Amino acid sequence: MAHVPNSAEQYEKMIGTPIPQLVSSLAIPTTISMLVTVIYNTADTYFVSQINKSASAAVGMVYTLMAILQAVGYGLGMGAGSLISRKLGEKDDDAAERYAVSAFVAAILAGAVVGWGCLAGLKPILRALKCTDTMLPYAVPYARWILLAAPVSCASFVLNNTLRAEGESTLAMWGLGLGGVLNIVLDPLFIFTLDMGAGGAALATAVSQAVSFVILLLFFLTGRSIVRLRLRSVSRHFRDYWLIFSTGLPTVCRQGLGSVASAVLNMQAVLYGDAAVSAITIANKLYVFVRNLVIGIGQGFQPVAGYNFGAKRYDRVRGATYFTMLVGTVLMSVLAAAGFLAAPGALALFRRDDAEVIAIGALALRAQCVVLPLFGVSTVTNMLLQVTGQSGQATFLSLCRQGIFFVPFILLLPQLIGLLGVQLAQPAADLCTFAVTLPFLLSFLRRLKLWEQAERAVAEK
């Protein structure tokens, strides 16, 4: 049986291992987890796209509801995870356990309220999202299974982020990875063999999420994690839940605004027909697949920054930041160049004989690739501010990308340049977000240097 490090051993590992080795050891399994998640989400789009372009467009419409659920699950998971890593760095294991268990219970309840609440009014909600008559027969069965599984999927996000926060990224990878592989296997079985159509893709996702949940839960119940899930640790104080929520607010904004952005994007794209919605949906799936690499690297970086910030090892926080930004920028630059060149071929994998979808989607994907290298700085900065307790600044930056900048662009640009405005809105918002991020990063690094000098002065006395 694999050795399970205790809290003291993990603390020494997180504050003593050389930064490149430590960040890499956590970022690799985390990135694999993110890729598997995106692969099985992309697999849904791929297999459903084989039905017809209306089915493909329907998946894009339902993504708005999925983004809401992700906002709930990731918000609670990232909020608790940021607190857990800092508390473990401060050697306050009891507080870390309290935040983990409280977020887990809250995720189950919130997932049920949001997911099953949307399920009760599903058709009117889809109509409000501008789902057309040609899309609705595919969107309803797809959304139904996604919403039914909401409590499980939200709770899985919390379990996954708790493992990452304590530095056990490999366990988190296995939990998500096995479920993801199952999803890819079940997609063609349910969609085509059992003739369940778009609903089969969503059922495959729901089953895979349930399997991931069970695997992740077993890691906690069998003592493979540092933090334990004991119901006696559930907090009875509002301030703990508020702290989890406020710390996770940047993620809530990031994911929640992703829902709003997706809805507005689809509403604008649908004016140009099902082909435009299908093309934008596919292009975004491909773009997110690549972008999630830097998010995975950032999620491997966060526990390193959190532990060391809690332990007042500010020099290591700064070193981890520089290293992660460098790796992220180089990787995104290489993949952006490859994606730009391969864009038409990538779209053709989904809709091989649909020249209109390929043309629209290839231009959108290429525009997004142009700004992709900037995410090595902007994404890591946001995660750095969140995990070190600068949630107000992190929340503002989260609001920028798909709110403050994106919404005006997606509403204004199509009025000026038509469909091209739909294709350029997100890249334009990403460029503006990067420009706003730089002053926040430089300011935090200056404060980090001052804190480091203060700690050194105290140690020398």
Side-chain angles (χ1 to χ4, degrees), residues 209-230:
Q209 289 174 342
V211 170
S212 289
F213 172 79
V214 171
I215 293 171
L216 291 169
L217 187 61
L218 285 174
F219 288 144
F220 288 89
L221 298 181
T222 57
R224 296 295 303 277
S225 63
I226 294 172
V227 173
R228 302 297 178 87
L229 289 183
R230 294 182 283 204

Side-chain angles (χ1 to χ4, degrees), residues 104-123:
F104 175 71
V105 173
I108 294 175
L109 296 176
V113 170
V114 175
W116 297 349
C118 289
L119 188 61
L122 181 55
K123 283 189 177 181

